[in-house]
PDB file of all heavy atoms in Angstrom:
ATOM      1  N   LEU X 301     -70.075  -1.953   9.147  1.00  0.00           N
ATOM      2  CA  LEU X 301     -70.809  -1.849  10.402  1.00  0.00           C
ATOM      3  C   LEU X 301     -70.162  -2.863  11.457  1.00  0.00           C
ATOM      4  O   LEU X 301     -70.429  -2.678  12.689  1.00  0.00           O
ATOM      5  CB  LEU X 301     -72.289  -2.291  10.105  1.00  0.00           C
ATOM      6  CG  LEU X 301     -73.157  -1.116   9.936  1.00  0.00           C
ATOM      7  CD1 LEU X 301     -74.521  -1.564   9.637  1.00  0.00           C
ATOM      8  CD2 LEU X 301     -73.132  -0.086  11.117  1.00  0.00           C
ATOM      9  N   PRO X 303     -68.334  -4.306  14.253  1.00  0.00           N
ATOM     10  CA  PRO X 303     -67.343  -3.754  15.332  1.00  0.00           C
ATOM     11  C   PRO X 303     -66.151  -4.538  15.448  1.00  0.00           C
ATOM     12  O   PRO X 303     -66.011  -5.474  16.265  1.00  0.00           O
ATOM     13  CB  PRO X 303     -68.291  -3.942  16.556  1.00  0.00           C
ATOM     14  CG  PRO X 303     -69.195  -4.975  16.275  1.00  0.00           C
ATOM     15  CD  PRO X 303     -69.417  -5.101  14.810  1.00  0.00           C
ATOM     16  N   PHE X 305     -63.127  -4.083  16.562  1.00  0.00           N
ATOM     17  CA  PHE X 305     -62.306  -4.202  17.807  1.00  0.00           C
ATOM     18  C   PHE X 305     -62.757  -5.243  18.738  1.00  0.00           C
ATOM     19  O   PHE X 305     -61.950  -6.088  19.216  1.00  0.00           O
ATOM     20  CB  PHE X 305     -62.188  -2.884  18.556  1.00  0.00           C
ATOM     21  CG  PHE X 305     -61.235  -2.927  19.692  1.00  0.00           C
ATOM     22  CD1 PHE X 305     -59.903  -2.724  19.454  1.00  0.00           C
ATOM     23  CD2 PHE X 305     -61.640  -2.918  20.921  1.00  0.00           C
ATOM     24  CE1 PHE X 305     -59.039  -2.810  20.396  1.00  0.00           C
ATOM     25  CE2 PHE X 305     -60.802  -2.949  22.002  1.00  0.00           C
ATOM     26  CZ  PHE X 305     -59.429  -2.893  21.744  1.00  0.00           C
ATOM     27  N   VAL X 309     -60.906  -8.684  19.854  1.00  0.00           N
ATOM     28  CA  VAL X 309     -60.641  -9.060  21.311  1.00  0.00           C
ATOM     29  C   VAL X 309     -61.102 -10.484  21.531  1.00  0.00           C
ATOM     30  O   VAL X 309     -60.284 -11.365  22.047  1.00  0.00           O
ATOM     31  CB  VAL X 309     -61.395  -8.120  22.214  1.00  0.00           C
ATOM     32  CG1 VAL X 309     -61.387  -8.613  23.683  1.00  0.00           C
ATOM     33  CG2 VAL X 309     -60.657  -6.697  22.207  1.00  0.00           C
ATOM     34  N   VAL X 310     -62.357 -10.799  21.159  1.00  0.00           N
ATOM     35  CA  VAL X 310     -62.798 -12.210  21.427  1.00  0.00           C
ATOM     36  C   VAL X 310     -61.936 -13.205  20.700  1.00  0.00           C
ATOM     37  O   VAL X 310     -61.526 -14.221  21.345  1.00  0.00           O
ATOM     38  CB  VAL X 310     -64.249 -12.306  20.980  1.00  0.00           C
ATOM     39  CG1 VAL X 310     -64.811 -13.662  21.152  1.00  0.00           C
ATOM     40  CG2 VAL X 310     -65.140 -11.363  21.794  1.00  0.00           C
ATOM     41  N   VAL X 313     -58.587 -13.717  22.333  1.00  0.00           N
ATOM     42  CA  VAL X 313     -58.612 -14.521  23.677  1.00  0.00           C
ATOM     43  C   VAL X 313     -58.844 -15.964  23.277  1.00  0.00           C
ATOM     44  O   VAL X 313     -58.101 -16.864  23.785  1.00  0.00           O
ATOM     45  CB  VAL X 313     -59.829 -14.003  24.463  1.00  0.00           C
ATOM     46  CG1 VAL X 313     -60.030 -14.908  25.652  1.00  0.00           C
ATOM     47  CG2 VAL X 313     -59.589 -12.576  24.890  1.00  0.00           C
ATOM     48  N   THR X 391     -55.291   0.169  16.590  1.00  0.00           N
ATOM     49  CA  THR X 391     -56.024  -0.968  17.015  1.00  0.00           C
ATOM     50  C   THR X 391     -55.256  -2.080  17.690  1.00  0.00           C
ATOM     51  O   THR X 391     -55.550  -2.694  18.713  1.00  0.00           O
ATOM     52  CB  THR X 391     -56.859  -1.541  15.882  1.00  0.00           C
ATOM     53  OG1 THR X 391     -57.551  -0.483  15.211  1.00  0.00           O
ATOM     54  CG2 THR X 391     -57.832  -2.525  16.381  1.00  0.00           C
ATOM     55  N   LEU X 398     -54.336  -4.693  26.108  1.00  0.00           N
ATOM     56  CA  LEU X 398     -55.116  -5.663  26.875  1.00  0.00           C
ATOM     57  C   LEU X 398     -54.239  -7.005  27.058  1.00  0.00           C
ATOM     58  O   LEU X 398     -54.825  -8.020  27.423  1.00  0.00           O
ATOM     59  CB  LEU X 398     -56.344  -5.999  26.188  1.00  0.00           C
ATOM     60  CG  LEU X 398     -57.428  -4.916  26.215  1.00  0.00           C
ATOM     61  CD1 LEU X 398     -58.619  -5.211  25.349  1.00  0.00           C
ATOM     62  CD2 LEU X 398     -57.908  -4.691  27.701  1.00  0.00           C
ATOM     63  N   LEU X 421     -48.208   4.210  36.717  1.00  0.00           N
ATOM     64  CA  LEU X 421     -48.916   5.490  36.667  1.00  0.00           C
ATOM     65  C   LEU X 421     -49.026   6.151  38.059  1.00  0.00           C
ATOM     66  O   LEU X 421     -48.713   7.197  38.133  1.00  0.00           O
ATOM     67  CB  LEU X 421     -50.364   5.007  36.207  1.00  0.00           C
ATOM     68  CG  LEU X 421     -51.179   6.063  35.421  1.00  0.00           C
ATOM     69  CD1 LEU X 421     -50.312   6.689  34.338  1.00  0.00           C
ATOM     70  CD2 LEU X 421     -52.347   5.394  34.728  1.00  0.00           C
ATOM     71  N   GLY X 424     -46.057   7.628  39.236  1.00  0.00           N
ATOM     72  CA  GLY X 424     -45.526   8.716  38.492  1.00  0.00           C
ATOM     73  C   GLY X 424     -44.331   8.369  37.651  1.00  0.00           C
ATOM     74  O   GLY X 424     -43.449   9.266  37.346  1.00  0.00           O
ATOM     75  N   TRP X 426     -43.058   8.458  34.634  1.00  0.00           N
ATOM     76  CA  TRP X 426     -43.333   8.953  33.263  1.00  0.00           C
ATOM     77  C   TRP X 426     -42.493   8.291  32.206  1.00  0.00           C
ATOM     78  O   TRP X 426     -42.961   8.071  31.089  1.00  0.00           O
ATOM     79  CB  TRP X 426     -43.178  10.422  33.205  1.00  0.00           C
ATOM     80  CG  TRP X 426     -41.780  10.931  33.729  1.00  0.00           C
ATOM     81  CD1 TRP X 426     -41.535  11.269  35.022  1.00  0.00           C
ATOM     82  CD2 TRP X 426     -40.614  10.943  32.974  1.00  0.00           C
ATOM     83  NE1 TRP X 426     -40.254  11.508  35.166  1.00  0.00           N
ATOM     84  CE2 TRP X 426     -39.541  11.373  34.031  1.00  0.00           C
ATOM     85  CE3 TRP X 426     -40.225  10.729  31.741  1.00  0.00           C
ATOM     86  CZ2 TRP X 426     -38.315  11.494  33.548  1.00  0.00           C
ATOM     87  CZ3 TRP X 426     -38.901  10.893  31.331  1.00  0.00           C
ATOM     88  CH2 TRP X 426     -37.923  11.282  32.298  1.00  0.00           C
ATOM     89  N   VAL X 429     -44.277   5.321  30.837  1.00  0.00           N
ATOM     90  CA  VAL X 429     -45.618   5.494  30.373  1.00  0.00           C
ATOM     91  C   VAL X 429     -45.673   6.389  29.113  1.00  0.00           C
ATOM     92  O   VAL X 429     -46.375   6.101  28.181  1.00  0.00           O
ATOM     93  CB  VAL X 429     -46.538   6.062  31.540  1.00  0.00           C
ATOM     94  CG1 VAL X 429     -47.861   6.390  30.944  1.00  0.00           C
ATOM     95  CG2 VAL X 429     -46.627   5.061  32.630  1.00  0.00           C
ATOM     96  N   VAL X 430     -44.944   7.468  29.138  1.00  0.00           N
ATOM     97  CA  VAL X 430     -45.024   8.460  28.059  1.00  0.00           C
ATOM     98  C   VAL X 430     -44.416   7.993  26.760  1.00  0.00           C
ATOM     99  O   VAL X 430     -45.013   8.038  25.662  1.00  0.00           O
ATOM    100  CB  VAL X 430     -44.469   9.745  28.577  1.00  0.00           C
ATOM    101  CG1 VAL X 430     -44.597  10.820  27.446  1.00  0.00           C
ATOM    102  CG2 VAL X 430     -45.354  10.278  29.737  1.00  0.00           C
ATOM    103  N   GLY X 433     -46.342   5.450  24.137  1.00  0.00           N
ATOM    104  CA  GLY X 433     -47.524   6.181  23.577  1.00  0.00           C
ATOM    105  C   GLY X 433     -47.058   7.136  22.536  1.00  0.00           C
ATOM    106  O   GLY X 433     -47.654   7.229  21.512  1.00  0.00           O
ATOM    107  N   ILE X 444     -50.248   9.776   8.602  1.00  0.00           N
ATOM    108  CA  ILE X 444     -51.342  10.725   8.401  1.00  0.00           C
ATOM    109  C   ILE X 444     -50.713  12.022   7.653  1.00  0.00           C
ATOM    110  O   ILE X 444     -51.372  12.454   6.649  1.00  0.00           O
ATOM    111  CB  ILE X 444     -51.898  11.296   9.678  1.00  0.00           C
ATOM    112  CG1 ILE X 444     -52.750  10.095  10.381  1.00  0.00           C
ATOM    113  CG2 ILE X 444     -52.752  12.465   9.576  1.00  0.00           C
ATOM    114  CD1 ILE X 444     -53.133  10.378  11.768  1.00  0.00           C
ATOM    115  N   LEU X 448     -51.798  13.416   3.979  1.00  0.00           N
ATOM    116  CA  LEU X 448     -52.104  14.846   3.658  1.00  0.00           C
ATOM    117  C   LEU X 448     -51.282  15.313   2.522  1.00  0.00           C
ATOM    118  O   LEU X 448     -51.713  16.089   1.634  1.00  0.00           O
ATOM    119  CB  LEU X 448     -51.874  15.693   4.833  1.00  0.00           C
ATOM    120  CG  LEU X 448     -52.869  15.535   5.964  1.00  0.00           C
ATOM    121  CD1 LEU X 448     -52.504  16.480   7.117  1.00  0.00           C
ATOM    122  CD2 LEU X 448     -54.285  15.848   5.466  1.00  0.00           C
TER     123      LEU X 448
ATOM    124  N   ILE Q  17     -79.114  -6.081   9.490  1.00  0.00           N
ATOM    125  CA  ILE Q  17     -77.684  -6.045   9.636  1.00  0.00           C
ATOM    126  C   ILE Q  17     -77.348  -6.505  11.062  1.00  0.00           C
ATOM    127  O   ILE Q  17     -76.302  -7.336  11.189  1.00  0.00           O
ATOM    128  CB  ILE Q  17     -77.198  -4.582   9.462  1.00  0.00           C
ATOM    129  CG1 ILE Q  17     -77.195  -4.341   7.877  1.00  0.00           C
ATOM    130  CG2 ILE Q  17     -75.847  -4.375   9.990  1.00  0.00           C
ATOM    131  CD1 ILE Q  17     -76.789  -2.967   7.561  1.00  0.00           C
ATOM    132  N   VAL Q  28     -68.870 -17.469  15.126  1.00  0.00           N
ATOM    133  CA  VAL Q  28     -67.539 -17.336  15.603  1.00  0.00           C
ATOM    134  C   VAL Q  28     -67.424 -17.960  17.009  1.00  0.00           C
ATOM    135  O   VAL Q  28     -66.449 -18.681  17.347  1.00  0.00           O
ATOM    136  CB  VAL Q  28     -66.948 -15.957  15.562  1.00  0.00           C
ATOM    137  CG1 VAL Q  28     -65.610 -15.908  16.285  1.00  0.00           C
ATOM    138  CG2 VAL Q  28     -66.767 -15.488  14.085  1.00  0.00           C
ATOM    139  N   LEU Q  29     -68.453 -17.604  17.755  1.00  0.00           N
ATOM    140  CA  LEU Q  29     -68.449 -17.932  19.227  1.00  0.00           C
ATOM    141  C   LEU Q  29     -69.066 -19.212  19.562  1.00  0.00           C
ATOM    142  O   LEU Q  29     -69.106 -19.596  20.774  1.00  0.00           O
ATOM    143  CB  LEU Q  29     -69.073 -16.798  20.031  1.00  0.00           C
ATOM    144  CG  LEU Q  29     -68.467 -15.420  19.802  1.00  0.00           C
ATOM    145  CD1 LEU Q  29     -69.278 -14.473  20.678  1.00  0.00           C
ATOM    146  CD2 LEU Q  29     -67.050 -15.414  20.116  1.00  0.00           C
ATOM    147  N   ALA Q 166     -56.255  16.390  11.772  1.00  0.00           N
ATOM    148  CA  ALA Q 166     -55.576  15.338  11.019  1.00  0.00           C
ATOM    149  C   ALA Q 166     -54.785  14.399  12.038  1.00  0.00           C
ATOM    150  O   ALA Q 166     -54.833  13.213  12.006  1.00  0.00           O
ATOM    151  CB  ALA Q 166     -54.640  15.859   9.946  1.00  0.00           C
ATOM    152  N   TRP Q 175     -54.253   6.120  25.744  1.00  0.00           N
ATOM    153  CA  TRP Q 175     -52.968   6.677  26.159  1.00  0.00           C
ATOM    154  C   TRP Q 175     -53.093   8.128  26.670  1.00  0.00           C
ATOM    155  O   TRP Q 175     -52.442   8.507  27.635  1.00  0.00           O
ATOM    156  CB  TRP Q 175     -51.896   6.555  25.053  1.00  0.00           C
ATOM    157  CG  TRP Q 175     -50.623   7.094  25.461  1.00  0.00           C
ATOM    158  CD1 TRP Q 175     -49.699   6.610  26.317  1.00  0.00           C
ATOM    159  CD2 TRP Q 175     -50.013   8.281  24.890  1.00  0.00           C
ATOM    160  NE1 TRP Q 175     -48.628   7.420  26.367  1.00  0.00           N
ATOM    161  CE2 TRP Q 175     -48.878   8.419  25.584  1.00  0.00           C
ATOM    162  CE3 TRP Q 175     -50.406   9.214  23.976  1.00  0.00           C
ATOM    163  CZ2 TRP Q 175     -47.915   9.449  25.180  1.00  0.00           C
ATOM    164  CZ3 TRP Q 175     -49.500  10.169  23.594  1.00  0.00           C
ATOM    165  CH2 TRP Q 175     -48.327  10.424  24.200  1.00  0.00           C
ATOM    166  N   ILE Q 178     -54.171   7.864  29.990  1.00  0.00           N
ATOM    167  CA  ILE Q 178     -53.054   7.628  30.861  1.00  0.00           C
ATOM    168  C   ILE Q 178     -52.306   8.873  31.156  1.00  0.00           C
ATOM    169  O   ILE Q 178     -51.913   9.217  32.432  1.00  0.00           O
ATOM    170  CB  ILE Q 178     -52.129   6.565  30.301  1.00  0.00           C
ATOM    171  CG1 ILE Q 178     -52.691   5.171  30.265  1.00  0.00           C
ATOM    172  CG2 ILE Q 178     -50.766   6.523  31.054  1.00  0.00           C
ATOM    173  CD1 ILE Q 178     -51.917   4.094  29.616  1.00  0.00           C
ATOM    174  N   VAL Q 186     -51.741  12.324  39.442  1.00  0.00           N
ATOM    175  CA  VAL Q 186     -50.492  12.008  40.195  1.00  0.00           C
ATOM    176  C   VAL Q 186     -49.630  13.212  40.478  1.00  0.00           C
ATOM    177  O   VAL Q 186     -49.277  13.526  41.630  1.00  0.00           O
ATOM    178  CB  VAL Q 186     -49.677  10.912  39.365  1.00  0.00           C
ATOM    179  CG1 VAL Q 186     -48.348  10.611  40.089  1.00  0.00           C
ATOM    180  CG2 VAL Q 186     -50.417   9.691  39.193  1.00  0.00           C
ATOM    181  N   TYR Q 187     -49.326  14.035  39.362  1.00  0.00           N
ATOM    182  CA  TYR Q 187     -48.348  15.142  39.592  1.00  0.00           C
ATOM    183  C   TYR Q 187     -48.993  16.299  40.389  1.00  0.00           C
ATOM    184  O   TYR Q 187     -48.290  16.929  41.157  1.00  0.00           O
ATOM    185  CB  TYR Q 187     -47.860  15.592  38.274  1.00  0.00           C
ATOM    186  CG  TYR Q 187     -46.846  14.663  37.560  1.00  0.00           C
ATOM    187  CD1 TYR Q 187     -46.750  14.344  36.293  1.00  0.00           C
ATOM    188  CD2 TYR Q 187     -46.034  13.828  38.536  1.00  0.00           C
ATOM    189  CE1 TYR Q 187     -45.905  13.569  35.740  1.00  0.00           C
ATOM    190  CE2 TYR Q 187     -45.154  12.985  37.981  1.00  0.00           C
ATOM    191  CZ  TYR Q 187     -45.033  12.769  36.627  1.00  0.00           C
ATOM    192  OH  TYR Q 187     -44.204  11.795  36.119  1.00  0.00           O
ATOM    193  N   TYR Q 249     -62.449  18.268  11.598  1.00  0.00           N
ATOM    194  CA  TYR Q 249     -61.834  17.969  10.326  1.00  0.00           C
ATOM    195  C   TYR Q 249     -62.888  17.666   9.233  1.00  0.00           C
ATOM    196  O   TYR Q 249     -62.865  18.282   8.170  1.00  0.00           O
ATOM    197  CB  TYR Q 249     -60.786  16.887  10.441  1.00  0.00           C
ATOM    198  CG  TYR Q 249     -59.896  16.658   9.252  1.00  0.00           C
ATOM    199  CD1 TYR Q 249     -58.885  17.542   9.074  1.00  0.00           C
ATOM    200  CD2 TYR Q 249     -60.162  15.636   8.310  1.00  0.00           C
ATOM    201  CE1 TYR Q 249     -58.058  17.350   7.918  1.00  0.00           C
ATOM    202  CE2 TYR Q 249     -59.327  15.539   7.249  1.00  0.00           C
ATOM    203  CZ  TYR Q 249     -58.254  16.345   7.035  1.00  0.00           C
ATOM    204  OH  TYR Q 249     -57.504  16.213   5.949  1.00  0.00           O
ATOM    205  N   PHE Q 300     -64.055   2.348  14.840  1.00  0.00           N
ATOM    206  CA  PHE Q 300     -62.793   2.500  15.572  1.00  0.00           C
ATOM    207  C   PHE Q 300     -62.909   3.343  16.714  1.00  0.00           C
ATOM    208  O   PHE Q 300     -62.393   2.999  17.825  1.00  0.00           O
ATOM    209  CB  PHE Q 300     -61.745   3.242  14.578  1.00  0.00           C
ATOM    210  CG  PHE Q 300     -61.066   2.224  13.681  1.00  0.00           C
ATOM    211  CD1 PHE Q 300     -61.012   2.489  12.281  1.00  0.00           C
ATOM    212  CD2 PHE Q 300     -60.495   1.045  14.200  1.00  0.00           C
ATOM    213  CE1 PHE Q 300     -60.380   1.548  11.495  1.00  0.00           C
ATOM    214  CE2 PHE Q 300     -59.883   0.137  13.353  1.00  0.00           C
ATOM    215  CZ  PHE Q 300     -59.760   0.444  11.968  1.00  0.00           C
ATOM    216  N   PHE Q 303     -65.218   1.442  19.558  1.00  0.00           N
ATOM    217  CA  PHE Q 303     -64.722   0.180  20.115  1.00  0.00           C
ATOM    218  C   PHE Q 303     -63.337   0.198  20.549  1.00  0.00           C
ATOM    219  O   PHE Q 303     -62.903  -0.276  21.575  1.00  0.00           O
ATOM    220  CB  PHE Q 303     -65.016  -0.992  19.147  1.00  0.00           C
ATOM    221  CG  PHE Q 303     -66.489  -1.227  19.159  1.00  0.00           C
ATOM    222  CD1 PHE Q 303     -67.292  -0.709  18.166  1.00  0.00           C
ATOM    223  CD2 PHE Q 303     -67.020  -1.792  20.253  1.00  0.00           C
ATOM    224  CE1 PHE Q 303     -68.627  -1.020  18.189  1.00  0.00           C
ATOM    225  CE2 PHE Q 303     -68.435  -2.114  20.269  1.00  0.00           C
ATOM    226  CZ  PHE Q 303     -69.167  -1.730  19.226  1.00  0.00           C
ATOM    227  N   ASN Q 323     -61.996  -5.408  30.499  1.00  0.00           N
ATOM    228  CA  ASN Q 323     -60.619  -5.442  30.878  1.00  0.00           C
ATOM    229  C   ASN Q 323     -60.374  -6.420  32.102  1.00  0.00           C
ATOM    230  O   ASN Q 323     -59.473  -7.204  32.118  1.00  0.00           O
ATOM    231  CB  ASN Q 323     -60.210  -3.960  31.369  1.00  0.00           C
ATOM    232  CG  ASN Q 323     -58.783  -3.870  31.578  1.00  0.00           C
ATOM    233  OD1 ASN Q 323     -57.969  -4.390  30.878  1.00  0.00           O
ATOM    234  ND2 ASN Q 323     -58.353  -3.148  32.615  1.00  0.00           N
ATOM    235  N   ILE Q 326     -60.618 -10.023  30.887  1.00  0.00           N
ATOM    236  CA  ILE Q 326     -59.450 -10.459  30.083  1.00  0.00           C
ATOM    237  C   ILE Q 326     -58.150 -10.514  30.906  1.00  0.00           C
ATOM    238  O   ILE Q 326     -57.461 -11.543  30.963  1.00  0.00           O
ATOM    239  CB  ILE Q 326     -59.277  -9.563  28.867  1.00  0.00           C
ATOM    240  CG1 ILE Q 326     -60.407  -9.716  27.812  1.00  0.00           C
ATOM    241  CG2 ILE Q 326     -57.914  -9.970  28.104  1.00  0.00           C
ATOM    242  CD1 ILE Q 326     -60.374  -8.741  26.810  1.00  0.00           C
ATOM    243  N   VAL Q 327     -57.817  -9.413  31.572  1.00  0.00           N
ATOM    244  CA  VAL Q 327     -56.474  -9.404  32.254  1.00  0.00           C
ATOM    245  C   VAL Q 327     -56.593  -9.357  33.800  1.00  0.00           C
ATOM    246  O   VAL Q 327     -55.610  -9.699  34.428  1.00  0.00           O
ATOM    247  CB  VAL Q 327     -55.661  -8.177  31.831  1.00  0.00           C
ATOM    248  CG1 VAL Q 327     -55.349  -8.242  30.292  1.00  0.00           C
ATOM    249  CG2 VAL Q 327     -56.305  -6.985  32.189  1.00  0.00           C
ATOM    250  N   PRO Q 332     -58.976 -16.017  30.947  1.00  0.00           N
ATOM    251  CA  PRO Q 332     -60.018 -15.225  30.468  1.00  0.00           C
ATOM    252  C   PRO Q 332     -61.418 -15.806  30.795  1.00  0.00           C
ATOM    253  O   PRO Q 332     -61.696 -16.863  30.706  1.00  0.00           O
ATOM    254  CB  PRO Q 332     -59.882 -15.365  28.898  1.00  0.00           C
ATOM    255  CG  PRO Q 332     -58.394 -15.599  28.770  1.00  0.00           C
ATOM    256  CD  PRO Q 332     -57.945 -16.435  30.000  1.00  0.00           C
ATOM    257  N   THR Q 341     -69.222  -8.480  24.580  1.00  0.00           N
ATOM    258  CA  THR Q 341     -69.100  -8.213  23.125  1.00  0.00           C
ATOM    259  C   THR Q 341     -70.518  -8.016  22.556  1.00  0.00           C
ATOM    260  O   THR Q 341     -70.752  -7.088  21.827  1.00  0.00           O
ATOM    261  CB  THR Q 341     -68.557  -9.470  22.378  1.00  0.00           C
ATOM    262  OG1 THR Q 341     -67.300  -9.759  23.056  1.00  0.00           O
ATOM    263  CG2 THR Q 341     -68.337  -9.261  20.921  1.00  0.00           C
ATOM    264  N   TYR Q 348     -73.683  -0.249  19.925  1.00  0.00           N
ATOM    265  CA  TYR Q 348     -73.176   0.392  18.760  1.00  0.00           C
ATOM    266  C   TYR Q 348     -74.206   0.379  17.653  1.00  0.00           C
ATOM    267  O   TYR Q 348     -74.403   1.373  16.990  1.00  0.00           O
ATOM    268  CB  TYR Q 348     -71.847  -0.382  18.317  1.00  0.00           C
ATOM    269  CG  TYR Q 348     -71.565  -0.313  16.928  1.00  0.00           C
ATOM    270  CD1 TYR Q 348     -71.011   1.002  16.540  1.00  0.00           C
ATOM    271  CD2 TYR Q 348     -71.503  -1.309  15.972  1.00  0.00           C
ATOM    272  CE1 TYR Q 348     -70.594   1.210  15.146  1.00  0.00           C
ATOM    273  CE2 TYR Q 348     -71.185  -1.160  14.747  1.00  0.00           C
ATOM    274  CZ  TYR Q 348     -70.709   0.162  14.303  1.00  0.00           C
ATOM    275  OH  TYR Q 348     -70.263   0.278  13.051  1.00  0.00           O
TER     276      TYR Q 348
END
Side-chain angles (χ1 to χ4, degrees):
Chain X
L301 269 178
F305 186 76
V309 166
V310 174
V313 174
T391 309
L398 289 172
L421 205 47
W426 52 267
V429 172
V430 177
I444 290 171
L448 288 180
Chain Q
I17 286 179
V28 169
L29 302 181
W175 178 67
I178 288 178
V186 178
Y187 288 147
Y249 190 77
F300 275 132
F303 288 102
N323 190 40
I326 293 171
V327 299
T341 305
Y348 162 66

